[in-house]
């Protein structure tokens, strides 16, 4: 056993240097599920900070999707997030260098979808019925003025951009109902940030694609709404801090209902697009929440409104996705590197798919 050395405070030498960390670590983000394939985003310092979309197939093989020099990163709202979308093996992503949307089919190189312009795009979803994307668009065309935000549609045939919703200073989280006939989104205005106060809107979508009869469901200048999502049976869920705590709610039959009130945070500050603290899987809501400075995972039954804790050896959960009896998480702990995890919802067994770092550091230094 190596003898310990006692040194005056501040004078001992740590083996953890900035060069060591940067050379051996990636940053993990933005989980996506496409059938049995799992995708995530890696920020790779060793590739000059390039954002790489990574695909993991059911046989355990992983590979980068977008080749150099393409970097999947958007500058909408300047903070980014929500830089790519995958469906049926095809990927659409915002490329950092020119902020155009590119489409990449399996086995092919990325091809530009949108023309070179002053538009930026983020937080896209697929409107399969109308062969288009719905996303947040940011128009930087006007010299000497602030960029204009909107909810827009991008044709997958022509790349043409059409404004669907406008009028607020900022937008986020466009979410299409499972039947494709309604759309939810978040909106807010200066001087608020979204965690100060924002609004949740819902509207119908006509056959031709136009948004009709928008109505505000929740939120305001003093209420923050986070992560609107439609359940598989078409019920709109969201997180609100209307009680002083970010809790889960659902909106159905014109009524907002709290799912499980508690002194815990089921949401978080929306610095980036595409954040997710809950998802629908196995007939339940797989949800993470922060309490007393630590993240927890639980399964919420929407019928009985009972919460079943899931014990995990992780103290911070950053993202949650779920489908077909399993959940995928990005989580870490004070002594465990952040990792992409696959959780079996029946057995609660966890498989590590990717670690942000494989450095072997003595736990006592942590």
């Amino acid at each position: 056993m190596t003898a310990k050395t006692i040194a005056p405070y501040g004078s001992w030498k740590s083996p953890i240097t900035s060069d060591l960390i940067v050379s051996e670590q990636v940053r993990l983000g933005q989980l996506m599920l496409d059938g049995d394939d799992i995708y995530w985003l890696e920020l790779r310092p060793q590739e000059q900070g390039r954002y790489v979309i990574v695909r993991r197939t059911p046989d355990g093989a992983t590979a980068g999707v977008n080749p150099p020099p393409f970097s999947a990163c958007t500058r909408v709202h300047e903070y980014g997030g929500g830089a790519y979308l995958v469906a049926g093996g095809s990927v659409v992503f915002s490329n950092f260098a020119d902020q155009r949307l590119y489409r990449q089919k399996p086995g092919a190189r990325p091809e530009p979808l949108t023309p070179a312009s002053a538009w930026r795009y983020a937080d896209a979803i697929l409107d399969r019925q109308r062969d288009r994307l719905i996303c947040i668009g940011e128009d930087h065309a006007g010299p000497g003025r602030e960029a204009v935000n909107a909810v827009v549609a991008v044709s997958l045939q022509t790349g043409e951009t059409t404004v669907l919703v406008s009028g607020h200073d900022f937008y986020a989280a466009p979410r299409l109902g499972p039947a494709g006939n309604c759309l939810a989104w978040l909106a807010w205005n200066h001087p608020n940030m979204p965690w100060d106060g924002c609004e949740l809107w819902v509207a119908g979508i006509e056959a031709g694609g136009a948004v009709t009869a928008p109505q505000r469901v929740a939120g305001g200048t003093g209420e923050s709404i986070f992560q609107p999502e439609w359940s598989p049976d078409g019920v709109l869920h969201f997180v609100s801090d209307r009680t002083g705590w970010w809790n889960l709610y659902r909106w159905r039959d014109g009524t907002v209902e709290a799912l499980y009130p508690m002194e815990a945070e089921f949401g978080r500050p929306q610095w980036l697009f595409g954040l997710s603290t809950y998802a629908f899987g196995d007939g339940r809501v797989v949800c993470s929440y922060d309490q007393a400075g630590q993240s927890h995972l639980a399964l919420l039954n929407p019928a009985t409104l009972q919460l079943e804790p899931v014990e995990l050896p992780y103290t911070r959960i950053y993202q949650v996705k779920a489908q077909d009896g399993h959940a995928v998480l990005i989580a870490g702990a004070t002594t465990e590197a952040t990792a992409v995890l696959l959780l079996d919802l029946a057995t609660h067994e966890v498989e590590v798919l990717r670690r942000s770092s494989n450095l072997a550091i003595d736990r006592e230094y942590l």
Side-chain angles (χ1 to χ4, degrees):
M1 181 177 178
T2 304
K4 292 183 179 180
T5 300
I6 299 175
Y9 179 80
S11 67
W12 56 275
K13 300 297 183 183
S14 170
I16 307 172
T17 65
S18 57
D19 287 342
L20 178 71
I21 295 298
V22 171
S23 65
E24 299 291 340
Q25 184 164 334
V26 298
R27 184 186 299 171
L28 303 170
Q30 197 182 348
L31 294 170
M32 295 287 289
L33 305 180
D34 182 42
D36 293 329
D37 293 339
I38 300 170
Y39 291 76
W40 61 84
L41 203 59
E42 294 186 4
L43 169 60
R44 297 179 176 176
Q46 67 272 27
E47 296 186 32
Q48 291 74 52
R50 192 169 75 92
Y51 284 85
V52 180
I53 303 165
V54 176
R55 175 194 180 200
R56 183 187 188 272
T57 51
D59 60 4
T62 60
V65 176
N66 53 312
F70 294 99
S71 181
C73 180
T74 177
R75 291 187 59 194
V76 176
H77 295 183
E78 299 300 343
Y79 299 112
Y84 78 99
L85 169 72
V86 58
S90 293
V91 175
V92 176
F93 65 90
S94 175
N95 185 46
F96 179 75
D98 55 13
Q99 291 299 292
R100 297 170 71 180
L101 288 179
Y102 285 75
R103 178 164 47 183
Q104 185 174 356
K105 297 180 179 180
R109 284 188 61 82
E111 297 290 341
L113 173 62
T114 55
S117 70
W119 280 97
R120 302 175 183 178
Y121 305 91
D123 213 4
I125 57 173
L126 176 64
D127 184 357
R128 195 181 304 274
Q129 294 180 18
R130 301 166 186 88
D131 199 24
R132 65 181 184 175
L133 304 177
I134 297 177
C135 58
I136 303 304
E138 192 171 76
D139 183 7
H140 288 254
R145 65 160 172 78
E146 184 176 339
V148 176
N149 255 234
V151 179
V152 303
V154 176
S155 168
L156 288 172
Q157 293 296 321
T158 66
E160 180 183 2
T161 297
T162 303
V163 174
L164 299 179
V165 181
S166 62
H168 287 82
D169 293 333
F170 301 99
Y171 291 90
R175 297 296 179 260
L176 195 63
N181 60 357
C182 54
L183 182 72
W185 67 88
L186 298 179
W188 65 97
N189 294 312
H190 289 304
N192 271 355
M193 295 294 274
W195 54 85
D196 297 317
C198 59
E199 299 172 350
L200 172 60
W201 288 77
V202 174
I205 299 183
E206 297 176 343
V211 170
T212 180
Q215 61 174 311
R216 184 171 64 86
V217 169
T221 56
E223 179 185 359
S224 175
I225 307 296
F226 175 84
Q227 195 192 344
E229 298 282 359
W230 298 91
S231 66
D233 58 350
V235 177
L236 182 62
H237 290 63
F238 60 93
V239 176
S240 167
D241 71 347
R242 59 180 57 189
T243 66
W245 297 93
W246 263 320
N247 279 192
L248 275 166
Y249 293 80
R250 64 186 172 195
W251 177 72
R252 58 180 181 178
D253 301 325
T255 301
V256 172
E257 175 188 9
L259 292 185
Y260 197 86
M262 63 186 297
E263 294 185 353
E265 307 287 11
F266 286 79
R268 59 178 50 126
Q270 188 178 270
W271 286 101
L272 305 174
F273 291 102
L275 299 178
S276 60
T277 61
Y278 71 93
F280 302 99
D282 198 22
R284 293 172 289 182
V285 182
V286 186
C287 51
S288 66
Y289 60 90
D290 290 348
Q291 195 172 48
Q294 182 169 321
S295 294
H296 305 268
L297 191 73
L299 303 176
L300 177 62
N301 188 318
T304 64
L305 300 184
Q306 296 298 306
L307 195 71
E308 174 191 349
V310 178
E311 297 298 330
L312 296 175
Y314 298 94
T315 56
R316 187 66 177 162
I317 300 172
Y318 298 96
Q319 197 164 36
V320 179
K321 296 287 184 180
Q323 69 176 21
D324 299 335
H326 66 261
V328 183
L329 318 172
I330 295 179
T334 53
T335 57
E336 291 287 337
T338 304
V340 178
L341 309 171
L342 181 65
L343 170 70
D344 188 302
L345 295 179
T347 65
H348 297 180
E349 294 181 353
V350 174
E351 178 185 357
V352 177
L353 305 184
R354 173 71 159 122
R355 296 184 189 276
S356 62
S357 173
N358 291 316
L359 290 174
I361 299 173
D362 192 320
R363 294 171 69 92
E364 292 191 2
Y365 282 107
L366 304 176

